[in-house]
Amino acid sequence: MITEDEFKDAASIIGCEVNAIKAVYEVEAAGRGYLSPPDNRVKILFEGHRFWKQIVKAGADPVTFISKNKQYTNVLYKNWDKKQYKGGAKEWDRMSQAIEVCTKLNLNPILALNSASYGSFQIMGENHSACGYGTSQEMLAAYNNGGEQEQLDSFCRFVKSTHLDDELISKNWAAFAQGYNGTAFRENKYDVKLSSAYNYFTT
């Protein structure tokens, strides 16, 4: 759990309101960076379309692979598809499947780790450098070992390094959501959710 003082420190680093950070925390992870006990693993959401791009970038052919291995269509697909999400601990099962894909293609399993978002602010593993980590594996280890304080610090570094601090300061939710969640943010109404969450904490 992130304390009020920790939120205040983060807001001071970014230069925004405390409630602006709380809004992102609520929308991205429902106010908790870990799965419910007894499963205390970091929350993740696996993104099969990002995995597809990682596979292509590594020089492999996902089209041919998936045509012969249809059991992996839930973790390897070209376009974003909300229907593929399983939620909760089942997202870790999807991660295991993605690692199997890497093994079958003789690719580094870090490609699977790059393709999920993690923790209290659901930052993609592929954005590890913007958060101050050498690899997505280091990022996940830091999230596990450092708790939600580390995840909050990581969020601050990410926002500053990607220049989204101005959007958070001005509460330009559409611009922030586009930079944070991608160009398809409107399909999930991220900007509307962020505005509603901010208003909830402010009133």
Side-chain angles (χ1 to χ4, degrees):
M1 181 178 177
I2 299 174
T3 68
E4 190 68 23
D5 284 343
E6 289 167 347
F7 274 121
K8 287 178 181 177
D9 289 343
S12 178
I13 291 169
I14 294 173
C16 66
E17 294 178 33
V18 167
N19 290 335
I21 299 178
K22 286 183 177 179
V24 180
Y25 182 49
E26 180 61 31
V27 169
E28 292 296 331
R32 181 176 170 80
Y34 296 88
L35 298 174
S36 300
D39 188 345
N40 296 310
R41 287 177 292 180
V42 170
K43 277 185 180 179
I44 70 166
L45 189 63
F46 190 81
E47 301 286 5
H49 67 296
R50 301 305 303 173
F51 188 41
W52 182 285
K53 290 182 179 180
Q54 291 280 330
I55 295 291
V56 170
K57 189 176 179 181
D61 178 10
V63 176
T64 300
F65 176 83
I66 209 67
S67 69
K68 298 176 181 177
N69 298 273
K70 296 189 182 298
Q71 69 270 33
Y72 296 110
T73 54
N74 180 234
V75 296
L76 185 60
Y77 41 89
K78 188 172 184 179
N79 300 309
W80 178 76
D81 184 1
K82 187 178 180 180
K83 294 177 182 177
Q84 302 298 342
Y85 296 154
K86 299 300 181 183
K90 290 182 179 178
E91 290 298 318
W92 277 108
D93 295 337
R94 294 179 70 213
M95 173 64 79
S96 296
Q97 285 184 290
I99 290 172
E100 287 178 15
V101 170
C102 291
T103 300
K104 287 178 179 292
L105 287 170
N106 199 28
L107 296 173
N108 192 327
I110 206 159
L111 299 182
L113 294 177
N114 287 345
S115 306
S117 56
Y118 299 96
S120 305
F121 296 90
Q122 289 296 291
I123 300 174
M124 290 292 296
E126 63 187 24
N127 293 321
H128 56 84
S129 335
C131 297
Y133 307 105
T135 66
S136 53
Q137 188 172 19
E138 288 179 20
M139 177 175 163
L140 179 56
Y143 280 15
N144 276 315
N145 297 327
E148 290 199 278
Q149 171 70 71
E150 175 66 28
Q151 295 171 38
L152 178 60
D153 292 344
S154 170
F155 170 74
C156 291
R157 292 192 293 269
F158 179 76
V159 167
K160 296 284 282 186
S161 64
T162 55
H163 308 293
L164 287 171
D165 45 347
D166 288 343
E167 285 75 11
L168 205 55
I169 291 166
S170 63
K171 298 181 288 294
N172 185 340
W173 299 120
F176 179 82
Q178 181 169 345
Y180 198 85
N181 302 106
T183 53
F185 72 93
R186 285 192 176 87
E187 294 182 44
N188 262 337
K189 298 182 179 179
Y190 277 119
D191 54 335
V192 175
K193 291 175 182 177
L194 286 165
S195 178
S196 297
Y198 171 78
N199 290 335
Y200 170 80
F201 288 117
T202 303
T203 55

